[in-house]
Amino acid sequence: MKLTDAQKQRIEDLLQQMTLEEKIGQMNQESPSIVGGFDVPFEELIEMMTDGRITKEEFGNIMSNAKQDFHEDEIRKGLVGSLMVQDPVKVNELQKIAMEESRLGIPIIFGLDVIHGFRSVYPIAIAEAGSFDTDLMERTAAMAAKESRSAGVAWHFAPMVDVARDARWGRVSEGPGEDPYLGSQFARAKIRGLQNDQSSTENYVAACLKHYVGYGACESGRDYNTVSMAMHVFYNNYLKPFEAAVDEGAATVMAAFNDLNGTPCTVNRFLLRDILKDSCGFPGFVVSDANAIRECEVHGICADDMDAAIQAANAGMDMDMGTEIYLKNLKEAVADGKVSMEVIDEAVRRILSVKMWLGLFDHPYVTEEAMKRYETLPEEHTSLAREAAEKSIVLLKNEGNILPIDRNAKVSLVGNLADNKEEIIGAWAMSWQEKDCVTILEGMKAEFPNVQYFPCGGPEGDLNMDQIIKAGDYGDVIVAVLGELVSMSGEASSRADITIPGRQRELLEMLLTTGKPVVLVLMNGRPLALDWEAQYVPAIVEAWHLGIQMGPAVAHVLSGAVNPEGRLSSSFPAFTGQCPVYYNHPNTGRPGSKSKFTSRYLDAPLGALYPFGYGLSYTTFAYSDLKVENKEAVIEACVTVTNTGDRAGKETVQFYMQDVTASLVRPVKELKGFEKVSLEPGESKTVCFWLEKKDMGFWNNEHVYCLEDGKFRFYAGGSSGDCLMAEAAIRF
Ligand code: GLC
């Protein structure tokens, strides 16, 4: 986020002219509030619909009867720095008030939760991270930036980069999974995609790293719950993607709702100032999560609104989302000497810097041409959404090579999720349009001329026995699209039991009794506990929520037109009771084994059912000749991978490290590199990784970086659970 000297001077000149009220106004973000009938911020109403607290019909009724207050009067007084609005006509209308009717004409920055696409909705992050394709992650972000900017949205509350190891947490769907390295590569790619094409102000937006920090470790996977962890775990896992993304140039950060070891992130000076702004050198601004400053009173840290405003501002929280707590308290706090003018000026300087960098001062409006640009999605956007969907699908099981299915086979397609446009786009799809979406049913009809659909049931409600019988009678093969409703993952959607919900397992049992081969296609926003399915269902495809092109992507994989190449960015447990389950765990003094007195369960397998990095292909790959060379400043590790099957395929070669003996317990494996390789049948390639020795260390509890001589193990393979290994003694 670079500014010219002239731009910096413009900001300083503005600061000189601004009154204290106008400065505090920049620190205030508003959402349109619904006036009459339903008095909550518009954003909250959207969330309530997204997570099912109100139906779409109720939402429609409220909206049709309610008036929205867009805070025009406050804008006129220069008291609104940001708004959550996504309609370009409304954006221009409100921006005009700010630019022409307020005293100093400072533009508003319009923000929105564009988490995985604006109009061209692509796979949810947990899925896209599993593509292990950072170029793809960058291209989808760049597409979302262009689409949202044409609607006046110049700030995405994305990427969400929370490391998450507990699949009971619904928000695991929004982030890149359990691994800090993959999460860091995902975060970097998203920052590049969202921010780097500055050839025109219509091509880039400000990213917002969230939720800073440790949110994914909420106790027992229950959303908003308390977070406690050893600082070496924090530094070496949860902080990593944020450090990487700040290094990549992220323009903004959103603080998390949770406390970390007793202090809410929202008022946590150590996190916001010492780590983020000082140690990481973060130049942009920090925004609270929705209502989070006021919630510090509920946490029991702040006595009242005034106390919350003072603590948050002094801790380094630059902008308040949705409470007006700064607007109503900071002026008095400054007058009382509780918050210095330096703190205010620093916050406002950071906010104005992002607006200046976005070009909002000189290009505050959306042009008529831009507004119309994506009325019909361009083919390259649709095909990119499809490419992302296809690359995110993970083949978990294919017993007897049931898959791929002959395109002329009679296919019984089962499961209500297969015929539902809303369920394919996943959480936080704010601006999708029905006409852009292709359901699995539509995709299957285009790929399999003899497919018939039987709505037998889904995540909720009863089963239709008549349809189940007909499905069993008709098809040579049964494809059952089952899983979770979108509302069962995402925010405020933790589940204490992460098996497939409702009567879907019963439905699967009935389908299996027909004697026809059954393919389970999962639509879900989190890892699921698949112990039963893994035992009894011969073929399982993890299809997540893939966005507007989910239908064609699933159909292409099932027909074999596309060879599945996705891998798991998060481990799948056999049973919910194993959560949290993740691959990069410490060894313990009694690592789990068959003998009793080891770290294991009496009633569950050791480790994950399907581990991080796992995924099958329609071909097979073999690894050989792992060679590790201890060079001056790097470790060079090379491995040969061969396509031992009869069709071309892509393999994600993964490279891990283990610090075997150190001054703190270290994980049994840590991902340090990955590369996708395409191989023809019989073809071999040697893939090499170069691990810089400076990256082989770890942070201790005192935030001291430790590089310690000793024995290291290096692993290479197609999954965290299946690798070749080589040892070496390393001196730094
Ligand atoms: C929500 C979410 C956050 C989102 C914000 C604005 O509560 O926690 O991810 O960006 O509010 O919608």
Side-chain angles (χ1 to χ4, degrees):
M1 196 182 79
K2 296 266 183 292
L3 292 178
T4 64
D5 290 345
Q7 287 175 320
K8 289 175 187 168
Q9 191 53 52
R10 265 179 87 176
I11 289 168
E12 294 311 315
D13 294 345
L14 254 181
L15 276 168
Q16 292 304 320
Q17 300 169 57
M18 293 170 82
T19 64
L20 175 56
E21 289 86 346
E22 288 165 334
K23 290 178 179 176
I24 295 168
Q26 287 303 307
M27 300 167 72
N28 176 47
Q29 182 187 63
E30 296 281 7
S31 294
S33 34
I34 308 299
V35 179
F38 214 95
D39 194 12
V40 292
F42 181 61
E43 188 53 30
E44 171 70 13
L45 205 62
I46 291 265
E47 268 182 44
M48 292 170 78
M49 179 188 60
T50 309
D51 58 29
R53 281 177 283 163
I54 56 173
T55 65
K56 282 182 82 72
E57 291 68 38
E58 285 169 329
F59 177 77
N61 293 337
I62 292 162
M63 292 308 291
S64 57
N65 305 326
K67 181 178 165 311
Q68 286 190 7
D69 171 8
F70 287 92
H71 307 280
E72 289 89 341
D73 290 344
E74 287 164 307
I75 294 173
R76 255 177 220 100
K77 295 172 190 159
L79 301 181
V80 179
S82 173
L83 266 165
M84 284 193 229
V85 171
Q86 65 191 74
D87 170 67
V89 172
K90 180 55 78 176
V91 162
N92 278 351
E93 185 189 305
L94 297 169
Q95 192 72 293
K96 195 168 183 323
I97 296 173
M99 298 301 288
E100 298 180 10
E101 297 182 39
S102 75
R103 192 175 72 90
L104 292 171
I106 297 173
I108 293 167
I109 180 171
F110 291 90
L112 196 71
D113 289 288
V114 186
I115 312 297
H116 52 108
F118 186 73
R119 284 282 309 285
S120 304
V121 178
Y122 54 84
I124 55 175
I126 191 171
E128 192 189 23
S131 72
F132 282 80
D133 184 335
T134 51
D135 172 65
L136 172 74
M137 297 168 197
E138 184 173 337
R139 288 185 287 127
T140 51
M143 172 171 72
K146 290 183 181 65
E147 288 185 0
S148 75
R149 203 59 187 238
S150 75
V153 174
W155 183 24
H156 289 188
F157 304 139
M160 190 273 219
V161 295
D162 298 315
V163 170
R165 296 165 158 176
D166 193 327
R168 292 171 293 179
W169 188 48
R171 305 200 75 167
V172 68
S173 68
E174 300 173 50
E178 72 189 51
D179 180 71
Y181 179 83
L182 176 59
S184 298
Q185 301 311 309
F186 172 90
R188 286 182 180 274
K190 289 303 177 188
I191 298 307
R192 290 193 299 269
L194 290 174
Q195 299 192 167
N196 283 11
D197 179 359
Q198 294 168 31
S199 58
S200 155
T201 54
E202 294 185 334
N203 294 347
Y204 69 102
V205 297
C208 183
L209 300 178
K210 69 182 189 182
H211 305 79
Y212 183 73
V213 60
Y215 188 16
C218 51
E219 192 169 282
S220 67
R222 197 173 74 239
D223 205 358
Y224 315 122
N225 203 3
T226 186
V227 174
S228 297
M229 67 175 78
M231 290 311 285
H232 74 96
V233 173
F234 169 71
Y235 293 129
N236 295 307
N237 294 281
Y238 295 89
L239 182 61
K240 284 280 184 183
F242 289 92
E243 284 177 324
V246 168
D247 179 62
E248 200 68 38
T252 72
V253 166
M254 180 184 293
F257 288 119
N258 55 280
D259 73 285
L260 181 66
N261 298 333
T263 305
C265 298
T266 303
V267 292
N268 194 315
R269 173 191 289 269
F270 170 71
L271 292 177
L272 298 180
R273 290 193 183 284
D274 300 350
I275 295 291
L276 182 64
K277 293 180 176 178
D278 297 347
S279 173
C280 295
F282 172 64
F285 71 83
V286 181
V287 63
S288 73
D289 204 332
N291 204 42
I293 295 179
R294 175 161 290 120
E295 287 170 14
C296 290
E297 298 165 46
V298 186
H299 274 286
I301 291 292
C302 302
D304 53 28
D305 279 6
M306 173 60 79
D307 187 24
I310 291 166
Q311 289 203 42
N314 287 332
M317 176 61 66
D318 303 309
M319 185 183 280
D320 159 39
M321 179 183 280
T323 68
E324 295 194 346
I325 211 165
Y326 276 1
L327 213 52
K328 293 170 181 162
N329 294 281
L330 276 188
K331 184 177 179 184
E332 185 185 337
V334 171
D336 294 347
K338 300 281 178 54
V339 173
S340 71
M341 189 54 87
E342 287 68 31
V343 163
I344 301 293
D345 284 348
E346 185 222 337
V348 177
R349 184 174 290 114
R350 287 172 177 268
I351 292 165
L352 295 180
S353 297
V354 172
K355 292 184 175 184
M356 188 69 74
W357 171 75
L358 283 168
L360 290 174
F361 282 88
D362 300 326
H363 307 281
Y365 303 113
V366 188
T367 64
E368 288 299 320
E369 185 275 329
M371 282 187 205
K372 294 183 171 46
R373 190 170 298 149
Y374 299 110
E375 269 172 358
T376 301
L377 293 185
E379 175 43 35
E380 67 262 27
H381 286 206
T382 305
S383 56
L384 177 54
R386 183 169 54 253
E387 176 193 349
E390 288 171 349
K391 290 181 172 179
S392 302
I393 292 174
V394 185
L395 178 59
L396 295 177
K397 185 179 176 187
N398 189 17
E399 200 170 78
N401 292 326
I402 289 177
L403 292 172
I405 300 168
D406 184 301
R407 291 183 64 183
N408 295 313
K410 288 164 56 181
V411 178
S412 292
L413 180 65
V414 162
N416 303 356
L417 292 174
D419 183 25
N420 187 317
K421 291 184 186 289
E422 294 180 48
E423 292 301 326
I424 62 176
I425 53 171
W428 291 114
M430 312 289 278
S431 312
W432 64 288
Q433 314 258 345
E434 295 238 354
K435 63 186 171 78
D436 301 333
C437 298
V438 183
T439 65
I440 291 180
L441 173 56
E442 291 163 334
M444 292 293 283
K445 281 181 175 172
E447 191 76 3
F448 294 93
N450 302 314
V451 67
Q452 278 204 18
Y453 175 55
F454 303 89
C456 302
E460 289 176 328
D462 286 335
L463 304 179
N464 184 323
M465 309 310 284
D466 177 51
Q467 289 293 319
I468 292 171
I469 292 164
K470 285 178 178 161
D473 290 344
Y474 171 75
D476 306 321
V477 59
I478 299 170
V479 173
V481 179
L482 306 174
E484 295 178 317
L485 293 172
V486 169
S487 60
M488 294 174 174
S489 65
E491 184 171 359
S493 305
S494 297
R495 293 178 64 208
D497 169 3
I498 56 172
T499 55
I500 55 174
R503 299 182 62 187
Q504 297 179 104
R505 206 169 254 183
E506 201 181 325
L507 169 54
L508 272 172
E509 268 182 305
M510 293 176 196
L511 296 173
L512 288 165
T513 58
T514 66
K516 301 288 178 66
V518 175
V519 176
L520 170 59
V521 175
L522 288 168
M523 284 179 60
N524 47 298
R526 60 158 54 79
L528 297 172
L530 297 176
D531 170 67
W532 183 88
E533 292 75 12
Q535 284 187 64
Y536 299 108
V537 182
I540 304 175
V541 176
E542 176 51 72
W544 304 111
H545 295 130
L546 295 174
I548 59 173
Q549 281 285 305
M550 178 152 199
V554 168
H556 294 162
V557 165
L558 294 184
S559 75
V562 167
N563 188 354
E565 58 182 84
R567 298 291 182 267
L568 293 181
S569 58
S570 279
S571 302
F572 278 49
F575 300 100
T576 306
Q578 292 177 277
C579 292
V581 62
Y582 51 99
Y583 87 93
N584 50 350
H585 56 78
N587 204 26
T588 77
R590 296 191 174 189
S593 72
K594 290 191 173 55
S595 56
K596 179 169 178 56
F597 298 95
T598 63
S599 184
R600 58 196 283 273
Y601 296 96
L602 294 177
D603 53 356
L606 291 177
L609 176 66
Y610 299 118
F612 172 84
Y614 171 86
L616 300 178
S617 167
Y618 289 145
T619 186
T620 50
F621 301 100
Y623 285 79
S624 58
D625 303 324
L626 172 60
K627 290 189 178 60
V628 171
E629 203 170 327
N630 184 353
K631 301 195 164 188
E632 182 60 32
V634 298
I635 299 292
E636 178 184 86
C638 297
V639 69
T640 299
V641 54
T642 303
N643 180 341
T644 49
D646 56 9
R647 67 168 285 174
K650 270 196 184 172
E651 170 67 327
T652 299
V653 182
Q654 300 154 45
F655 174 61
Y656 298 86
M657 177 199 92
Q658 178 188 11
D659 185 347
V660 179
T661 309
S663 56
L664 283 175
V665 293
R666 301 297 303 133
V668 294
K669 283 196 184 78
E670 297 175 73
L671 184 67
K672 289 292 184 183
F674 55 83
E675 182 178 333
K676 295 187 85 161
V677 288
S678 297
L679 292 168
E680 293 300 320
E683 184 183 9
S684 293
K685 277 184 185 166
T686 297
V687 178
C688 291
F689 295 94
W690 291 271
L691 173 58
E692 293 196 48
K693 287 184 176 176
K694 67 176 178 57
D695 295 333
M696 294 172 64
F698 60 93
W699 294 95
N700 67 15
N701 287 312
E702 292 67 45
H703 204 203
V704 173
Y705 191 64
C706 305
L707 275 171
E708 298 170 350
D709 297 354
K711 179 162 66 173
F712 283 77
R713 291 189 183 119
F714 302 95
Y715 300 86
S719 159
S720 61
D722 182 11
C723 292
L724 298 177
M725 187 274 284
E727 274 187 5
I730 307 294
R731 295 183 62 76
F732 294 101

